[in-house]
């Protein structure tokens, strides 16, 4: 089932990300009764795991529907309040996303710095067949570009496959795939990780204890991610599997290919999410048409949104919306198809402030959550981890990349608040990260070294 | 998932499922059960199903304690006696520390 190339044992997953920041204001006026549709974000997972999330802002729908001539003044006031609410919630949600992204990066960087296994070259994945051990620079560049093309085309094929599966309602297949992926991530990769960490710290561990620990970790992880569990635990698990996936990528992607792949995938993300015929966009739109929740275990959400318990004609929708918000946190999963090993992760980042359904009788307090696809987590961590692993500037470069990614995340969230639809989370952050990496490594570090050696303090 | 927005029956059902699931060699699940439902069982104002939730939380805590003791004993035994066990010690070991003991 799993094909190996050299000693590689991991699969790469293409990640697609979409971030949709939807600001949802709870309308105090009963006429804004479109929360159900507005709060559903459709996400589809691409072959490897792509999730697209998009949620329509209730305001958009509401704007077209409401025509309360009797309360124009109130509408005006409401709009102002809603705008304020948008901004307030936007800042809070930025912070709510900073913490998990930072945690993921910290885990990855700490592992890279301490466990040598993840920086050793031990073969490559079959998705990057061209080696980088070439005599000339031009050849190396060509090989990395070819690797990137192969990788991105695998990702595109996966995404399109997933969109087709979703369109033709092959839900069982998709769910089975997701479960298989998370199984592999939670058990196999954790086993490898634990083994390497124990070897690094020279600790003796026996098989019975190890099996018990891994079994507990994996089983509770599956329960939390795919079923019901405490929110913080779900978030922690998603962060952990994102970190594991990022470590796999860092280990098995050759140097130059990794950077080119990062650049190419942010361009792909941009196109897939924003172009009218982009697969991710189609996925989201299909999910929204059907009013279905996104697949669980692919998106990290920072809060739970619950619908008010009012009489809903469509119990399925209610169940699905609960499920969507309950299992909003996703993990990247390594997905291996039975016939060939290739893991792609697609993550969609969709910050979705969900709005509980408001009824005439009860007005529930909104809990707005921001969602970010796990692919975003993974690729951010890959960038920072690669910087930590290979940069000559050591912590300078790592911190610079970290700050760059957070700035990009901030800007993306801001754009989300402005545009109110699904947006890709990768392009801005990865662009900043790449710029900062190369400039810090080649410009800032020699500068700082020279200053330090001449004892000049500025 | 937010417990505050779930009905009491669902809370009880969830607690019960977590309790039963812990019997599949999952003390971690019992730990999650105890931590998650502790507030519901002992701190919040009493409601109908709270008594049953309390029993489940107590039993989960008991099971967790037993598992903790057993695991602690086994790990202590293994770490201290591994070398004196010879071949069996190596067979049981997943990672062996390098260097002289």
């Amino acid at each position: 089932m799993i094909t190996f190339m050299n000693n590689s044992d991991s699969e790469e997953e293409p990640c697609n990300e979409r971030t949709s920041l939807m600001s949802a204001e709870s309308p105090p006026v009963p006429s804004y009764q479109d929360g159900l549709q507005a709060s559903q974000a459709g996400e589809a997972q691409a072959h490897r795991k792509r999730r697209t999330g998009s949620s329509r802002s209730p305001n958009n729908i509401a704007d077209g529907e409401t025509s309360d001539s009797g309360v124009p003044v109130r509408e005006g006031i409401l709009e102002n309040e809603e705008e304020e609410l948008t901004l307030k919630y936007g800042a809070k949600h930025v912070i709510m996303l900073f913490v998990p992204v930072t945690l993921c990066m910290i885990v990855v960087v700490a592992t890279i710095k301490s466990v040598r296994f993840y920086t050793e070259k031990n073969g490559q994945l079959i998705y990057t067949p061209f080696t980088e051990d070439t005599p000339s620079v031009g050849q190396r560049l060509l090989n990395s570009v070819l690797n990137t093309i192969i990788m991105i085309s695998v990702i595109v094929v996966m995404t399109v496959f997933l969109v087709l599966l979703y369109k033709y309602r092959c839900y069982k297949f998709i769910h089975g795939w997701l479960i298989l992926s998370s199984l592999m991530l939670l058990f196999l990769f954790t086993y490898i990780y634990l083994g390497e960490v124990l070897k690094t710290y020279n600790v003796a561990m026996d098989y019975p204890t190890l099996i018990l620990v891994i079994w507990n970790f994996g089983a509770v992880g599956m329960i939390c991610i795919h079923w019901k569990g405490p929110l913080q635990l779900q978030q922690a698990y998603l962060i952990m599997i994102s970190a594991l996936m990022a470590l796999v990528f860092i280990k098995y992607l050759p140097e130059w290919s990794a950077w080119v792949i990062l650049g190419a995938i942010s361009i792909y993300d941009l196109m897939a999410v924003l172009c009218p015929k982009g697969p991710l966009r189609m996925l989201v739109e299909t999910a929204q048409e059907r009013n279905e929740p996104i697949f669980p275990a692919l998106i990290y959400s920072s809060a739970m949104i619950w619908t008010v318990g009012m009489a809903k004609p469509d119990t399925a929708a209610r169940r699905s919306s609960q499920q969507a918000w309950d299992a909003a946190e996703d993990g990247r999963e390594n997905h291996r198809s039975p016939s060939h090993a290739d893991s792609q992760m697609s993550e969609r980042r969709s910050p979705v402030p969900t709005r509980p359904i408001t009824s005439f009788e009860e007005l529930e307090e909104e809990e707005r959550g921001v969602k970010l696809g796990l692919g975003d987590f993974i690729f951010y961590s890959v960038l920072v981890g690669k910087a930590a692993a290979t940069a000559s500037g050591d912590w300078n470069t790592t911190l610079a990349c970290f700050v760059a990614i957070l700035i990009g995340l901030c800007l993306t969230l801001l754009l989300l608040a402005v545009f109110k639809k699904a947006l890709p989370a990768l392009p801005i952050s990865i662009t900043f990260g790449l710029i900062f990496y190369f400039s810090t490594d080649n410009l800032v570090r020699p500068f700082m070294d020279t200053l330090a050696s001449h004892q000049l303090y500025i | 998932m937010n417990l505050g927005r779930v009905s009491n029956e669902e809370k009880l059902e969830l607690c019960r499922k977590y309790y039963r699931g812990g019997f599949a060699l999952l003390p971690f699940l019992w730990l999650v059960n105890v931590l998650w439902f502790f507030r519901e069982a002992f701190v919040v104002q009493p409601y109908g199903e709270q008594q049953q939730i309390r029993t489940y939380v107590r039993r989960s805590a008991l099971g967790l304690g037993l598992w903790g003791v057993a695991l602690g004993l086994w790990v202590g035994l293994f770490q201290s006696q591994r070398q004196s066990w010879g071949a069996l010690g190596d067979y049981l070991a997943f990672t062996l520390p390098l260097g002289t003991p």
Side-chain angles (χ1 to χ4, degrees):
Chain A
M1 265 186 63
I2 299 174
T3 61
F4 284 84
M5 178 169 181
N6 298 337
N7 295 328
S8 71
D9 59 353
S10 60
E11 295 176 344
E12 295 174 347
E13 296 182 0
C15 307
N16 294 324
E17 302 167 11
R18 276 195 35 188
T19 57
S20 49
L21 181 64
M22 307 281 306
S23 51
E25 291 90 12
S26 52
V29 182
S31 58
Y32 286 67
Q33 287 287 332
D34 54 358
L36 252 176
Q37 288 186 341
S39 54
Q40 299 250 2
E43 290 184 11
Q45 227 179 10
H47 186 58
R48 286 298 181 157
K49 279 189 189 191
R50 287 172 187 231
R51 302 216 20 186
T52 58
S54 64
S55 46
R56 299 216 191 284
S57 153
N59 281 343
N60 294 341
I61 304 173
D63 288 340
E65 289 177 3
T66 57
S67 55
D68 283 358
S69 56
V71 285
V73 174
R74 276 179 71 193
E75 277 183 16
I77 297 175
L78 280 172
E79 270 184 30
N80 286 341
E81 288 177 357
E82 287 170 359
E83 278 177 24
E84 275 186 25
L85 278 175
T86 307
L87 293 178
K88 273 190 219 158
Y89 276 98
K92 189 169 139 200
H93 289 315
V94 168
I95 306 296
M96 273 151 75
L97 278 187
F98 271 13
V99 172
V101 171
T102 311
L103 278 175
C104 192
M105 289 196 230
I106 286 177
V107 170
V108 169
V109 170
T111 309
I112 292 280
K113 289 286 186 190
S114 54
V115 179
R116 257 177 304 118
F117 172 74
Y118 287 103
T119 42
E120 291 164 1
K121 281 299 293 174
N122 239 353
Q124 298 179 193
L125 295 170
I126 60 166
Y127 304 109
T128 53
F130 294 96
T131 175
E132 288 200 0
D133 262 339
T134 55
S136 72
V137 171
Q139 182 74 19
R140 187 172 186 184
L141 194 61
L142 179 69
N143 278 359
S144 51
V145 170
L146 288 174
N147 278 341
T148 308
I149 291 177
I150 294 177
M151 182 83 154
I152 301 286
S153 17
V154 173
I155 293 179
V156 171
V157 165
M158 297 288 214
T159 316
V160 170
F161 183 54
L162 190 71
V163 174
L164 287 175
L165 280 179
Y166 190 68
K167 254 186 151 39
Y168 293 113
R169 301 179 189 265
C170 309
Y171 294 137
K172 285 207 184 327
F173 190 91
I174 297 180
H175 281 131
W177 194 11
L178 285 182
I179 290 185
L180 214 61
S181 290
S182 41
L183 268 176
M184 192 178 69
L185 259 179
L186 279 171
F187 287 101
L188 179 66
F189 284 17
T190 310
Y191 171 78
I192 295 171
Y193 180 77
L194 210 56
E196 292 307 320
V197 169
L198 289 172
K199 278 185 209 158
T200 305
Y201 289 108
N202 223 15
V203 173
M205 169 73 99
D206 53 312
Y207 272 115
T209 313
L210 177 82
I211 291 174
L212 188 74
V213 167
I214 299 230
W215 165 241
N216 271 271
F217 180 80
V220 177
M222 292 297 291
I223 290 174
C224 271
I225 296 175
H226 291 281
W227 192 52
K228 301 178 191 153
L231 183 66
Q232 277 94 345
L233 196 62
Q234 227 171 343
Q235 294 172 332
Y237 266 108
L238 289 172
I239 293 176
M240 280 190 272
I241 63 183
S242 306
L244 282 174
M245 202 57 216
L247 285 169
V248 163
F249 271 137
I250 293 174
K251 178 171 173 64
Y252 287 109
L253 285 181
E255 310 290 340
W256 290 17
S257 303
W259 298 113
V260 183
I261 283 175
L262 276 174
I265 206 162
S266 34
I267 297 175
Y268 168 70
D269 198 23
L270 194 67
M271 290 189 340
V273 171
L274 295 180
C275 291
K277 279 298 168 191
L280 297 182
R281 185 173 176 148
M282 280 169 50
L283 212 54
V284 172
E285 283 169 2
T286 315
Q288 283 185 330
E289 277 168 38
R290 297 181 192 170
N291 267 340
E292 277 168 0
I294 317 282
F295 299 106
L298 286 181
I299 297 194
Y300 176 97
S301 100
S302 51
M304 291 307 309
I305 290 98
W306 271 91
T307 57
V308 174
M310 61 185 230
K312 284 230 164 67
D314 186 7
T315 50
R318 173 145 181 255
R319 209 183 344 110
S320 62
S321 70
Q322 283 183 2
Q323 195 187 1
W325 306 130
D326 281 346
E329 278 134 358
D330 302 325
R332 284 195 152 205
E333 306 172 35
N334 282 328
H335 204 70
R336 293 187 191 231
S337 63
S339 49
H340 38 89
D342 52 327
S343 51
Q344 286 184 352
M345 292 188 293
S346 49
E347 295 176 351
R348 297 237 176 238
R349 181 198 140 161
S350 49
V352 172
T354 55
R355 185 172 65 134
I357 314 297
T358 58
S359 67
F360 288 93
E361 302 86 40
E362 357 179 81
L363 203 60
E364 184 156 309
E365 193 185 300
E366 290 181 19
E367 233 186 277
R368 298 189 192 175
V370 177
K371 289 185 177 185
L372 185 59
L374 287 187
D376 295 315
F377 278 91
I378 298 184
F379 279 121
Y380 293 162
S381 308
V382 166
L383 193 142
V384 176
K386 272 286 187 197
T390 62
S392 45
D394 214 21
W395 288 108
N396 271 336
T397 320
T398 312
L399 284 176
C401 290
F402 169 70
V403 170
I405 286 181
L406 288 189
I407 293 177
L409 190 63
C410 233
L411 284 175
T412 313
L413 282 171
L414 196 67
L415 284 179
L416 276 171
V418 169
F419 285 114
K420 298 195 201 309
K421 57 181 209 154
L423 286 184
L426 280 181
I428 301 180
S429 289
I430 299 284
T431 313
F432 280 4
L434 288 175
I435 294 175
F436 271 60
Y437 172 75
F438 286 110
S439 58
T440 310
D441 208 31
N442 298 318
L443 298 175
V444 176
R445 187 199 42 92
F447 179 59
M448 301 289 291
D449 286 346
T450 316
L451 280 185
S453 66
H454 290 278
Q455 295 287 295
L456 273 174
Y457 296 103
I458 56 171
Chain B
M1 141 172 245
N2 191 355
L3 275 187
R5 315 240 179 167
V6 182
S7 73
N8 291 338
E9 294 81 26
E10 286 185 41
K11 282 185 213 164
L12 178 63
E13 199 48 43
L14 206 57
C15 195
R16 179 184 295 143
K17 285 194 177 147
Y18 266 62
Y19 168 69
R20 291 202 185 133
F23 280 107
L25 304 183
L26 289 173
F28 190 33
L29 201 58
W30 277 336
L31 177 68
V32 172
N33 201 13
V34 167
L35 291 177
W36 197 20
F37 281 99
F38 184 80
R39 221 179 134 265
E40 286 295 321
F42 296 106
V43 175
V44 172
Q45 297 304 313
Y47 52 91
E49 291 81 357
Q50 197 190 36
Q51 202 51 41
Q52 300 180 57
I53 292 185
R54 270 192 199 172
T55 50
Y56 285 129
V57 171
R58 283 200 193 105
R59 287 186 200 164
S60 300
L62 181 68
L64 182 66
L66 290 175
W67 264 105
V69 167
L71 202 62
L73 284 176
W74 164 251
V75 169
L77 187 69
F78 181 79
Q79 295 290 343
S80 54
Q81 303 297 323
R82 177 181 57 85
Q83 277 143 7
S84 57
W85 282 348
L88 179 67
D90 289 347
Y91 179 70
L92 279 177
F94 170 56
T95 55
L96 287 170
L98 305 168
T100 53

